[in-house]
Protein backbone atom coordinates (compact mmCIF):
# COMPACT_ATOMS: atom_id res chain seq x y z
CA UNK A 1 0.00 0.00 0.00
CA UNK A 2 1.31 3.44 -0.96
CA UNK A 3 1.98 5.61 2.08
CA UNK A 4 0.12 8.90 2.11
CA UNK A 5 3.30 10.62 3.28
CA UNK A 6 4.92 9.69 -0.04
CA UNK A 7 1.98 11.18 -1.93
CA UNK A 8 2.11 14.42 0.06
CA UNK A 9 5.89 14.80 -0.26
CA UNK A 10 5.41 16.81 -3.46
CA UNK A 11 3.50 19.50 -1.49
CA UNK A 12 6.49 20.54 0.63
CA UNK A 13 7.18 23.63 -1.47
CA UNK A 14 3.52 24.63 -1.74
CA UNK A 15 2.44 24.59 1.92
CA UNK A 16 3.90 25.78 5.20
CA UNK A 17 5.10 22.79 7.28
CA UNK A 18 2.47 23.23 10.06
CA UNK A 19 -0.37 23.38 7.50
CA UNK A 20 1.03 20.37 5.64
CA UNK A 21 1.14 18.38 8.89
CA UNK A 22 -2.45 19.35 9.62
CA UNK A 23 -3.51 18.38 6.07
CA UNK A 24 -1.80 14.99 6.45
CA UNK A 25 -3.60 14.31 9.74
CA UNK A 26 -6.96 15.35 8.25
CA UNK A 27 -6.46 13.26 5.09
CA UNK A 28 -5.55 10.14 7.09
CA UNK A 29 -8.64 10.62 9.26
CA UNK A 30 -10.87 11.01 6.19
CA UNK A 31 -9.45 7.81 4.68
CA UNK A 32 -10.18 5.81 7.84
CA UNK A 33 -13.36 7.31 9.25
CA UNK A 34 -16.97 6.25 8.89
CA UNK A 35 -20.03 8.47 9.11
CA UNK A 36 -20.34 12.14 8.20
CA UNK A 37 -17.16 14.10 7.49
CA UNK A 38 -17.39 16.95 10.01
CA UNK A 39 -14.74 18.65 12.12
CA UNK A 40 -15.91 16.75 15.20
CA UNK A 41 -15.81 13.43 13.34
CA UNK A 42 -12.34 14.17 11.98
CA UNK A 43 -11.00 14.99 15.44
CA UNK A 44 -12.28 11.65 16.78
CA UNK A 45 -10.52 9.66 14.06
CA UNK A 46 -7.36 11.76 13.74
CA UNK A 47 -5.63 10.58 16.89
CA UNK A 48 -2.48 12.32 18.11
CA UNK A 49 -1.93 15.72 16.55
CA UNK A 50 -5.55 16.02 15.42
CA UNK A 51 -7.43 17.67 18.25
CA UNK A 52 -10.64 19.53 17.54
CA UNK A 53 -8.85 22.85 17.95
CA UNK A 54 -6.16 21.80 15.44
CA UNK A 55 -8.80 20.73 12.93
CA UNK A 56 -10.59 24.03 13.47
CA UNK A 57 -7.40 26.02 12.85
CA UNK A 58 -6.78 24.11 9.62
CA UNK A 59 -10.23 24.88 8.22
CA UNK A 60 -9.76 28.57 9.03
CA UNK A 61 -6.40 28.74 7.20
CA UNK A 62 -6.21 30.25 3.72
CA UNK A 63 -4.99 27.53 1.32
CA UNK A 64 -4.24 27.74 -2.41
CA UNK A 65 -6.15 24.58 -3.32
CA UNK A 66 -5.79 24.99 -7.09
CA UNK A 67 -2.00 24.94 -6.75
CA UNK A 68 -2.13 21.85 -4.52
CA UNK A 69 -4.40 20.07 -6.98
CA UNK A 70 -2.11 20.81 -9.93
CA UNK A 71 1.07 19.80 -8.08
CA UNK A 72 -0.55 16.50 -7.08
CA UNK A 73 -1.78 15.85 -10.63
CA UNK A 74 1.56 16.74 -12.21
CA UNK A 75 3.52 14.54 -9.81
CA UNK A 76 1.34 11.43 -9.45
CA UNK A 77 -1.46 11.37 -12.03
CA UNK A 78 -0.34 12.98 -15.28
CA UNK A 79 2.10 11.33 -17.65
CA UNK A 80 4.02 13.23 -20.30
CA UNK A 81 2.47 12.71 -23.72
CA UNK A 82 -1.08 12.20 -22.44
CA UNK A 83 -3.84 14.04 -24.29
CA UNK A 84 -5.83 16.19 -21.88
CA UNK A 85 -8.97 18.25 -22.37
CA UNK A 86 -10.42 20.82 -19.99
CA UNK A 87 -13.98 20.37 -18.79
CA UNK A 88 -16.33 22.25 -16.50
CA UNK A 89 -19.61 21.80 -14.70
CA UNK A 90 -21.57 23.17 -11.77
CA UNK A 91 -22.24 21.19 -8.60
CA UNK A 92 -24.97 22.07 -6.10
CA UNK A 93 -24.63 21.18 -2.41
CA UNK A 94 -27.92 21.22 -0.53
CA UNK A 95 -27.87 23.16 2.76
CA UNK A 96 -30.44 24.25 5.30
CA UNK A 97 -30.29 27.16 7.68
CA UNK A 98 -29.74 30.85 6.99
CA UNK A 99 -26.16 31.67 7.99
CA UNK A 100 -23.91 29.66 5.64
CA UNK A 101 -21.79 31.87 3.39
CA UNK A 102 -23.15 31.93 -0.17
CA UNK A 103 -26.38 30.18 0.76
CA UNK A 104 -29.03 30.76 -1.89
CA UNK A 105 -31.48 28.88 -4.08
CA UNK A 106 -30.01 27.01 -7.06
CA UNK A 107 -31.46 24.67 -9.64
CA UNK A 108 -30.37 21.08 -8.98
CA UNK A 109 -30.54 18.59 -11.85
CA UNK A 110 -30.64 15.74 -9.31
CA UNK A 111 -33.88 17.01 -7.75
CA UNK A 112 -35.09 18.69 -10.99
CA UNK A 113 -36.08 21.79 -9.05
CA UNK A 114 -34.67 24.81 -7.25
CA UNK A 115 -33.27 23.91 -3.83
CA UNK A 116 -31.57 25.89 -1.02
CA UNK A 117 -27.85 25.25 -1.01
CA UNK A 118 -24.41 26.27 -2.24
CA UNK A 119 -23.24 26.36 -5.84
CA UNK A 120 -19.71 25.65 -7.04
CA UNK A 121 -18.02 25.79 -10.44
CA UNK A 122 -15.62 22.91 -10.99
CA UNK A 123 -12.95 22.87 -13.71
CA UNK A 124 -11.07 19.64 -14.38
CA UNK A 125 -8.45 18.07 -16.59
CA UNK A 126 -9.64 14.86 -18.26
CA UNK A 127 -7.21 12.26 -19.57
CA UNK A 128 -8.41 11.01 -22.96
CA UNK A 129 -6.37 7.80 -22.69
CA UNK A 130 -7.18 6.93 -19.06
CA UNK A 131 -10.80 8.21 -19.18
CA UNK A 132 -10.41 9.85 -15.76
CA UNK A 133 -11.17 13.40 -14.59
CA UNK A 134 -8.83 15.26 -12.23
CA UNK A 135 -10.41 18.32 -10.54
CA UNK A 136 -8.22 21.43 -10.47
CA UNK A 137 -10.35 24.49 -9.67
CA UNK A 138 -13.42 24.72 -7.43
CA UNK A 139 -14.89 28.17 -6.82
CA UNK A 140 -18.13 29.16 -5.15
CA UNK A 141 -20.96 30.60 -7.23
CA UNK A 142 -23.29 33.42 -6.40
CA UNK A 143 -26.91 33.39 -7.54
CA UNK A 144 -26.29 36.20 -10.05
CA UNK A 145 -23.56 34.10 -11.71
CA UNK A 146 -25.66 30.99 -12.33
CA UNK A 147 -27.94 32.30 -15.07
CA UNK A 148 -26.81 31.36 -18.55
CA UNK A 149 -26.71 34.20 -21.10
CA UNK A 150 -29.90 34.56 -23.06
CA UNK A 151 -30.62 36.67 -26.07
CA UNK A 152 -33.06 39.53 -25.46
CA UNK A 153 -36.16 38.78 -27.56
CA UNK A 154 -36.96 41.37 -30.22
CA UNK A 155 -39.73 43.85 -29.48
CA UNK A 156 -43.10 42.74 -30.83
CA UNK A 157 -45.77 45.42 -31.17
CA UNK A 158 -49.08 44.67 -29.51
CA UNK A 159 -52.66 45.81 -29.93
CA UNK A 160 -53.35 48.74 -32.24
CA UNK A 161 -49.69 49.35 -33.02
CA UNK A 162 -49.30 45.88 -34.49
CA UNK A 163 -48.67 45.95 -38.22
CA UNK A 164 -48.10 49.72 -38.43
CA UNK A 165 -44.94 51.30 -39.73
CA UNK A 166 -42.56 50.34 -42.47
CA UNK A 167 -41.30 46.75 -42.71
CA UNK A 168 -37.72 45.91 -41.69
CA UNK A 169 -35.61 46.98 -38.77
CA UNK A 170 -35.91 50.36 -37.06
CA UNK A 171 -34.19 53.40 -38.45
CA UNK A 172 -30.69 53.96 -37.08
CA UNK A 173 -30.10 50.33 -36.15
CA UNK A 174 -26.55 49.24 -36.90
CA UNK A 175 -25.13 45.84 -37.71
CA UNK A 176 -23.71 44.03 -34.68
CA UNK A 177 -20.37 42.28 -34.69
CA UNK A 178 -21.12 38.90 -33.09
CA UNK A 179 -17.47 38.53 -32.09
CA UNK A 180 -17.70 41.64 -29.90
CA UNK A 181 -20.07 40.56 -27.17
CA UNK A 182 -20.67 41.57 -23.58
CA UNK A 183 -20.17 38.55 -21.36
CA UNK A 184 -22.71 37.77 -18.68
CA UNK A 185 -21.51 37.59 -15.04
CA UNK A 186 -21.53 33.79 -15.23
CA UNK A 187 -19.41 33.66 -18.39
CA UNK A 188 -17.01 36.22 -16.92
CA UNK A 189 -16.68 34.01 -13.84
CA UNK A 190 -16.02 30.89 -15.94
CA UNK A 191 -13.51 32.73 -18.14
CA UNK A 192 -11.64 34.11 -15.13
CA UNK A 193 -11.24 30.68 -13.55
CA UNK A 194 -10.41 29.01 -16.86
CA UNK A 195 -7.62 31.55 -17.39
CA UNK A 196 -6.39 30.82 -13.88
CA UNK A 197 -6.22 27.09 -14.61
CA UNK A 198 -4.37 27.64 -17.89
CA UNK A 199 -1.84 29.95 -16.19
CA UNK A 200 -1.39 27.38 -13.43
CA UNK A 201 -0.65 24.57 -15.89
CA UNK A 202 1.70 26.72 -17.94
CA UNK A 203 3.60 24.91 -20.68
CA UNK A 204 3.33 21.43 -19.14
CA UNK A 205 0.09 20.57 -20.95
CA UNK A 206 -1.06 22.05 -24.24
CA UNK A 207 -4.81 22.44 -23.88
CA UNK A 208 -6.81 22.94 -27.07
CA UNK A 209 -10.41 22.07 -26.19
CA UNK A 210 -12.82 22.99 -23.42
CA UNK A 211 -15.91 20.80 -22.92
CA UNK A 212 -19.05 22.08 -21.27
CA UNK A 213 -22.70 21.10 -21.05
CA UNK A 214 -25.51 22.25 -23.31
CA UNK A 215 -25.89 25.55 -21.42
CA UNK A 216 -22.83 26.69 -23.41
CA UNK A 217 -24.51 26.05 -26.77
CA UNK A 218 -24.59 29.73 -27.73
CA UNK A 219 -22.41 32.32 -29.44
CA UNK A 220 -21.46 34.16 -26.23
CA UNK A 221 -19.94 30.99 -24.78
CA UNK A 222 -18.05 30.25 -27.99
CA UNK A 223 -16.57 33.76 -28.07
CA UNK A 224 -15.67 33.56 -24.37
CA UNK A 225 -13.71 30.35 -24.90
CA UNK A 226 -12.09 31.59 -28.12
CA UNK A 227 -10.87 34.73 -26.34
CA UNK A 228 -8.54 32.60 -24.21
CA UNK A 229 -7.27 30.50 -27.12
CA UNK A 230 -9.34 27.32 -26.69
CA UNK A 231 -12.01 25.63 -28.81
CA UNK A 232 -15.41 24.80 -27.34
CA UNK A 233 -17.07 21.38 -27.55
CA UNK A 234 -20.70 21.42 -26.46
CA UNK A 235 -24.27 20.62 -27.51
CA UNK A 236 -26.92 22.57 -29.41
CA UNK A 237 -30.66 22.43 -29.00
CA UNK A 238 -32.26 19.61 -30.94
CA UNK A 239 -34.30 22.11 -32.96
CA UNK A 240 -31.46 24.53 -33.77
CA UNK A 241 -31.85 26.19 -37.17
CA UNK A 242 -28.67 25.31 -39.08
CA UNK A 243 -27.85 26.24 -42.66
CA UNK A 244 -25.31 24.99 -45.15
CA UNK A 245 -22.97 27.73 -46.46
CA UNK A 246 -24.22 29.20 -49.74
CA UNK A 247 -22.08 28.08 -52.68
CA UNK A 248 -24.25 29.26 -55.58
CA UNK A 249 -23.55 32.09 -58.03
CA UNK A 250 -23.72 35.76 -57.11
CA UNK A 251 -26.96 37.40 -58.19
CA UNK A 252 -25.20 40.58 -59.30
CA UNK A 253 -26.80 42.96 -56.84
CA UNK A 254 -26.91 43.44 -53.09
CA UNK A 255 -24.76 41.65 -50.49
CA UNK A 256 -23.43 38.18 -51.14
CA UNK A 257 -25.74 35.45 -49.93
CA UNK A 258 -24.43 33.68 -46.82
CA UNK A 259 -26.97 31.00 -45.96
CA UNK A 260 -27.80 28.07 -48.18
CA UNK A 261 -30.27 25.25 -47.60
CA UNK A 262 -31.62 24.71 -44.11
CA UNK A 263 -30.72 21.40 -42.47
CA UNK A 264 -33.64 19.00 -42.16
CA UNK A 265 -32.73 16.59 -39.37
CA UNK A 266 -35.12 14.00 -40.76
CA UNK A 267 -33.52 14.08 -44.20
CA UNK A 268 -29.82 14.93 -43.98
CA UNK A 269 -27.97 14.43 -47.32
CA UNK A 270 -26.06 11.16 -47.52
CA UNK A 271 -22.88 12.99 -48.54
CA UNK A 272 -22.45 14.04 -44.88
CA UNK A 273 -22.89 10.51 -43.50
CA UNK A 274 -19.76 9.38 -41.62
CA UNK A 275 -20.82 6.14 -39.93
CA UNK A 276 -23.81 3.84 -39.71
CA UNK A 277 -24.48 0.87 -37.43
CA UNK A 278 -27.38 -1.30 -36.28
CA UNK A 279 -27.91 -2.87 -32.88
CA UNK A 280 -29.82 -6.03 -33.74
CA UNK A 281 -30.69 -6.81 -30.12
CA UNK A 282 -32.33 -3.44 -29.45
CA UNK A 283 -33.32 -2.91 -33.10
CA UNK A 284 -31.77 0.58 -33.11
CA UNK A 285 -30.12 2.06 -36.19
CA UNK A 286 -27.54 4.79 -35.56
CA UNK A 287 -26.29 7.21 -38.20
CA UNK A 288 -23.64 9.87 -37.59
CA UNK A 289 -23.37 12.94 -39.81
CA UNK A 290 -20.72 15.66 -39.78
CA UNK A 291 -20.87 18.99 -41.60
CA UNK A 292 -19.74 22.59 -41.42
CA UNK A 293 -22.80 24.80 -41.06
CA UNK A 294 -23.93 28.33 -40.26
CA UNK A 295 -26.18 29.48 -37.45
CA UNK A 296 -27.70 32.94 -37.64
CA UNK A 297 -26.80 33.72 -34.02
CA UNK A 298 -23.20 32.49 -34.22
CA UNK A 299 -20.35 34.56 -35.61
CA UNK A 300 -18.48 31.74 -37.36
CA UNK A 301 -18.99 28.38 -38.99
CA UNK A 302 -19.66 25.45 -36.67
CA UNK A 303 -18.34 21.91 -36.89
CA UNK A 304 -21.58 20.01 -36.22
CA UNK A 305 -22.04 16.29 -35.54
CA UNK A 306 -25.61 14.98 -35.69
CA UNK A 307 -26.33 11.55 -34.17
CA UNK A 308 -29.62 10.13 -35.47
CA UNK A 309 -31.12 7.02 -33.87
CA UNK A 310 -34.06 5.18 -35.43
CA UNK A 311 -36.13 2.48 -33.75
CA UNK A 312 -36.61 -0.07 -36.53
CA UNK A 313 -39.68 -1.53 -34.84
CA UNK A 314 -41.63 1.65 -34.06
CA UNK A 315 -39.86 3.90 -36.64
CA UNK A 316 -39.45 6.63 -34.02
CA UNK A 317 -36.48 8.91 -34.63
CA UNK A 318 -34.41 10.93 -32.16
CA UNK A 319 -31.27 12.98 -32.70
CA UNK A 320 -28.57 14.85 -30.78
CA UNK A 321 -26.64 17.84 -32.14
CA UNK A 322 -23.06 18.25 -30.91
CA UNK A 323 -20.77 21.00 -32.12
CA UNK A 324 -17.27 22.40 -31.86
CA UNK A 325 -15.69 25.69 -32.85
CA UNK A 326 -12.71 23.64 -34.11
CA UNK A 327 -13.59 23.05 -37.76
CA UNK A 328 -10.88 20.39 -38.16
CA UNK A 329 -11.93 18.19 -35.25
CA UNK A 330 -12.98 14.75 -36.50
CA UNK A 331 -16.48 13.55 -35.61
CA UNK A 332 -15.19 10.67 -33.45
CA UNK A 333 -13.25 13.13 -31.28
CA UNK A 334 -16.22 15.51 -30.97
CA UNK A 335 -18.35 12.64 -29.67
CA UNK A 336 -15.57 11.25 -27.49
CA UNK A 337 -14.69 14.59 -25.88
CA UNK A 338 -18.32 15.37 -25.10
CA UNK A 339 -18.80 11.88 -23.69
CA UNK A 340 -15.71 12.36 -21.48
CA UNK A 341 -17.35 15.37 -19.85
CA UNK A 342 -19.46 12.97 -17.80
CA UNK A 343 -16.31 11.84 -15.94
CA UNK A 344 -16.56 15.04 -13.90
CA UNK A 345 -19.85 13.73 -12.50
CA UNK A 346 -17.94 10.83 -10.95
CA UNK A 347 -15.78 13.40 -9.15
CA UNK A 348 -18.91 14.94 -7.66
CA UNK A 349 -20.25 11.51 -6.70
CA UNK A 350 -17.04 10.53 -4.87
CA UNK A 351 -16.72 13.93 -3.21
CA UNK A 352 -20.27 13.72 -1.85
CA UNK A 353 -20.32 10.02 -1.01
CA UNK A 354 -16.84 9.58 0.52
CA UNK A 355 -15.19 12.94 1.20
CA UNK A 356 -17.86 15.10 2.83
CA UNK A 357 -18.94 17.55 0.15
CA UNK A 358 -22.52 17.24 1.47
CA UNK A 359 -21.54 16.87 5.14
CA UNK A 360 -19.65 19.96 6.30
CA UNK A 361 -21.45 22.12 8.88
CA UNK A 362 -19.28 25.25 8.85
CA UNK A 363 -20.88 28.59 7.96
CA UNK A 364 -18.09 31.15 7.45
CA UNK A 365 -16.49 31.90 4.06
CA UNK A 366 -13.01 30.41 4.56
CA UNK A 367 -14.13 27.15 6.25
CA UNK A 368 -16.83 26.63 3.60
CA UNK A 369 -14.29 27.16 0.82
CA UNK A 370 -11.77 24.84 2.48
CA UNK A 371 -14.34 22.12 3.18
CA UNK A 372 -15.54 21.97 -0.43
CA UNK A 373 -12.03 22.07 -1.89
CA UNK A 374 -10.75 19.47 0.59
CA UNK A 375 -13.45 17.07 -0.64
CA UNK A 376 -12.36 17.55 -4.26
CA UNK A 377 -8.68 17.35 -3.24
CA UNK A 378 -9.31 13.93 -1.70
CA UNK A 379 -10.70 12.76 -5.04
CA UNK A 380 -7.23 13.24 -6.54
CA UNK A 381 -5.51 11.85 -3.44
CA UNK A 382 -7.54 8.64 -3.68
CA UNK A 383 -6.62 8.32 -7.36
CA UNK A 384 -2.93 8.76 -6.53
CA UNK A 385 -3.14 6.12 -3.79
CA UNK A 386 -5.07 3.59 -5.88
CA UNK A 387 -3.11 3.82 -9.13
CA UNK A 388 -0.01 1.82 -8.06
CA UNK A 389 -2.24 -0.75 -6.33
CA UNK A 390 -4.37 -1.49 -9.38
CA UNK A 391 -1.52 -3.37 -11.04
CA UNK A 392 -2.16 -6.19 -8.53
CA UNK A 393 -5.74 -5.27 -7.62
CA UNK A 394 -7.54 -4.09 -10.80
CA UNK A 395 -11.00 -3.90 -9.20
CA UNK A 396 -9.86 -1.69 -6.32
CA UNK A 397 -12.47 0.94 -5.43
CA UNK A 398 -12.62 3.90 -3.05
CA UNK A 399 -14.56 1.75 -0.58
CA UNK A 400 -11.74 -0.82 -0.62
CA UNK A 401 -9.17 1.93 -0.10
CA UNK A 402 -11.05 3.32 2.90
CA UNK A 403 -11.45 -0.20 4.28
CA UNK A 404 -7.68 -0.72 4.18
CA UNK A 405 -6.95 2.55 6.02
CA UNK A 406 -9.68 1.82 8.56
CA UNK A 407 -8.22 -1.65 9.16
CA UNK A 408 -4.78 -0.18 9.70
CA UNK A 409 -6.28 2.25 12.21
CA UNK A 410 -7.94 -0.58 14.14
CA UNK A 411 -4.82 -2.77 14.10
CA UNK A 412 -2.46 0.01 15.18
CA UNK A 413 -4.76 1.12 18.02
CA UNK A 414 -5.09 -2.49 19.17
CA UNK A 415 -1.33 -3.14 19.08
CA UNK A 416 -0.73 -0.10 21.28
CA UNK A 417 -2.30 -2.06 24.12
CA UNK A 418 0.38 -4.76 23.92
CA UNK A 419 3.48 -4.52 26.13
CA UNK A 420 5.71 -4.85 23.05
CA UNK A 421 5.06 -3.79 19.49
CA UNK A 422 5.44 -6.78 17.10
CA UNK A 423 7.56 -6.76 13.95
CA UNK A 424 6.50 -4.75 10.92
CA UNK A 425 5.82 -7.83 8.79
CA UNK A 426 3.31 -9.07 11.36
CA UNK A 427 1.58 -5.66 11.39
CA UNK A 428 1.27 -5.74 7.57
CA UNK A 429 -0.20 -9.24 7.70
CA UNK A 430 -2.65 -8.24 10.41
CA UNK A 431 -3.77 -5.18 8.45
CA UNK A 432 -4.27 -7.25 5.28
CA UNK A 433 -6.25 -9.86 7.23
CA UNK A 434 -8.53 -7.33 8.91
CA UNK A 435 -9.02 -5.44 5.62
CA UNK A 436 -10.56 -8.56 4.09
CA UNK A 437 -13.52 -8.25 6.46
CA UNK A 438 -14.87 -5.10 4.88
CA UNK A 439 -13.57 -5.19 1.33
CA UNK A 440 -15.93 -5.24 -1.63
CA UNK A 441 -13.70 -6.45 -4.46
CA UNK A 442 -11.29 -9.39 -4.42
CA UNK A 443 -7.74 -8.33 -3.63
CA UNK A 444 -4.61 -9.49 -5.43
CA UNK A 445 -1.93 -11.67 -3.89
CA UNK A 446 0.14 -8.72 -2.74
CA UNK A 447 -2.67 -6.83 -1.07
Amino acid sequence: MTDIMMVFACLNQSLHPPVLRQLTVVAQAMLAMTGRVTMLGLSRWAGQGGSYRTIQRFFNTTVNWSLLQWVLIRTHLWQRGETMVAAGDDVIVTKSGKCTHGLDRFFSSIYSKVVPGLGFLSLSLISVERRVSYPVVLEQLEQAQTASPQEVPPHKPKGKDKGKGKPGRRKGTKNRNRREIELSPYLQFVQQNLKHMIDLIGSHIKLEHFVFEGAFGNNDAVQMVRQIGLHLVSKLRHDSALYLPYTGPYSGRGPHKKYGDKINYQDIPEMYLQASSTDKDKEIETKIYQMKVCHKKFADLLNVVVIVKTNLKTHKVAHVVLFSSDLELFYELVIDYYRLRFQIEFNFRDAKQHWGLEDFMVVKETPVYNSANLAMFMVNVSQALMRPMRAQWPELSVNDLKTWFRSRKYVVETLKLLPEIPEAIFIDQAIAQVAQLGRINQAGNSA
Side-chain angles (χ1 to χ4, degrees):
M1 171 66 70
T2 304
D3 190 353
I4 194 171
M5 298 298 294
M6 297 174 59
V7 174
F8 282 5
C10 61
L11 306 178
N12 288 331
Q13 304 300 319
S14 305
L15 275 179
H16 294 298
V19 182
L20 180 57
R21 285 194 298 269
Q22 293 169 359
L23 176 60
T24 304
V25 170
V26 170
Q28 288 177 328
M30 293 178 74
L31 285 163
M33 70 183 299
T34 59
R36 299 184 64 188
V37 182
T38 61
M39 286 196 292
L40 182 59
L42 288 170
S43 65
R44 288 171 174 168
W45 283 86
Q48 185 177 4
S51 65
Y52 184 81
R53 183 59 183 148
T54 300
I55 303 296
Q56 197 175 40
R57 280 197 298 268
F58 171 75
F59 278 96
N60 282 277
T61 302
T62 302
V63 179
N64 188 347
W65 288 104
S66 299
L67 177 60
L68 298 186
Q69 295 275 40
W70 166 238
V71 171
L72 191 69
I73 293 169
R74 184 185 62 190
T75 307
H76 298 287
L77 300 173
W78 172 68
Q79 290 185 350
R80 189 172 298 276
E82 266 188 307
T83 303
M84 307 288 279
V85 296
D89 203 354
D90 298 337
V91 56
I92 306 302
V93 179
T94 55
K95 288 292 174 187
S96 59
K98 298 181 180 179
C99 301
T100 306
H101 174 78
L103 184 68
D104 214 317
R105 297 183 65 83
F106 300 91
F107 178 80
S108 172
S109 58
I110 297 177
Y111 298 98
S112 298
K113 63 179 182 180
V114 175
V115 296
L118 308 176
F120 296 91
L121 170 69
S122 176
L123 300 178
S124 299
L125 293 173
I126 301 180
S127 171
V128 177
E129 288 81 9
R130 294 182 180 272
R131 326 294 291 180
V132 179
S133 170
Y134 308 122
V136 180
V137 176
L138 186 75
E139 294 293 337
Q140 190 168 1
L141 290 167
E142 296 179 2
Q143 179 62 40
Q145 297 169 331
T146 59
S148 299
Q150 300 291 336
E151 295 286 342
V152 178
H155 173 70
K156 295 183 179 179
K158 298 181 180 180
K160 297 180 180 180
D161 295 335
K162 187 175 182 180
K164 292 185 178 181
K166 296 181 179 180
R169 59 185 180 181
R170 295 191 297 268
K171 185 177 180 180
T173 305
K174 297 182 180 180
N175 292 333
R176 292 185 301 168
N177 187 344
R178 294 193 183 96
R179 294 185 183 88
E180 298 177 0
I181 49 95
E182 182 177 353
L183 297 179
S184 67
Y186 178 69
L187 289 181
Q188 292 177 15
F189 183 72
V190 175
Q191 186 183 58
Q192 176 186 353
N193 287 284
L194 195 53
K195 283 181 179 178
H196 172 60
M197 186 174 75
I198 294 174
D199 293 340
L200 196 64
I201 295 170
S203 60
H204 290 86
I205 300 176
K206 184 180 179 182
L207 290 177
E208 296 182 356
H209 299 93
F210 175 63
V211 189
F212 211 89
E213 60 181 356
F216 267 37
N218 53 70
N219 179 65
D220 288 5
V222 172
Q223 299 307 317
M224 181 274 292
V225 175
R226 293 298 297 135
Q227 286 174 8
I228 54 180
L230 299 180
H231 285 289
L232 178 65
V233 177
S234 187
K235 183 172 71 171
L236 291 172
R237 286 173 54 99
H238 73 282
D239 57 351
S240 297
L242 304 178
Y243 300 84
L244 294 172
Y246 180 73
T247 57
Y250 178 51
S251 62
R253 56 182 298 180
H256 288 268
K257 192 174 180 180
K258 181 178 180 181
Y259 303 104
D261 296 333
K262 185 178 180 180
I263 296 296
N264 180 4
Y265 295 109
Q266 306 301 323
D267 187 22
I268 302 177
E270 290 296 319
M271 62 182 295
Y272 300 111
L273 181 64
Q274 300 294 326
S276 178
S277 61
T278 302
D279 187 338
K280 295 182 179 179
D281 296 332
K282 298 181 179 180
E283 297 186 356
I284 300 294
E285 181 186 50
T286 303
K287 291 186 176 181
I288 302 176
Y289 301 87
Q290 183 177 27
M291 63 203 82
K292 297 175 183 178
V293 299
C294 303
H295 191 295
K296 291 187 177 181
K297 291 187 178 180
F298 284 75
D300 303 295
L301 282 174
L302 299 178
N303 179 8
V304 168
V305 176
V306 182
I307 305 173
V308 181
K309 290 184 178 288
T310 305
N311 190 314
L312 300 177
K313 182 181 293 186
T314 62
H315 301 288
K316 291 184 178 180
V317 181
H319 66 271
V320 174
V321 185
L322 307 180
F323 81 96
S324 174
S325 58
D326 185 357
L327 299 181
E328 304 302 322
L329 192 63
F330 195 49
Y331 79 93
E332 290 181 335
L333 292 180
V334 175
I335 297 173
D336 192 43
Y337 288 174
Y338 191 78
R339 182 182 293 140
L340 280 173
R341 188 197 67 83
F342 195 77
Q343 295 297 321
I344 202 171
E345 301 290 347
F346 296 132
N347 296 156
F348 301 155
R349 177 202 64 187
D350 290 346
K352 290 182 178 182
Q353 182 176 342
H354 302 292
W355 311 121
L357 186 58
E358 284 274 5
D359 297 341
F360 60 85
M361 301 174 67
V362 293
V363 296
K364 294 185 179 179
E365 181 178 2
T366 300
V368 167
Y369 181 77
N370 286 340
S371 298
N373 275 275
L374 176 63
M376 299 301 285
F377 178 72
M378 290 303 297
V379 172
N380 284 333
V381 171
S382 61
Q383 290 290 336
L385 289 169
M386 290 189 295
R387 177 165 295 179
M389 297 180 62
R390 281 187 169 146
Q392 299 295 329
W393 194 349
E395 300 299 324
L396 177 68
S397 67
V398 178
N399 278 320
D400 297 319
L401 181 71
K402 289 175 67 70
T403 297
W404 192 93
F405 275 91
R406 191 177 310 118
S407 302
R408 186 175 70 172
K409 179 73 173 178
Y410 290 153
V411 170
V412 170
E413 292 299 322
T414 302
L415 293 178
K416 288 180 180 179
L417 302 176
L418 299 177
E420 293 184 8
I421 300 297
E423 297 180 359
I425 187 172
F426 173 79
I427 297 176
D428 292 339
Q429 292 175 351
I431 292 174
Q433 187 68 27
V434 175
Q436 292 181 8
L437 300 176
R439 72 185 182 193
I440 295 176
N441 299 298
Q442 182 65 33
N445 295 329
S446 62

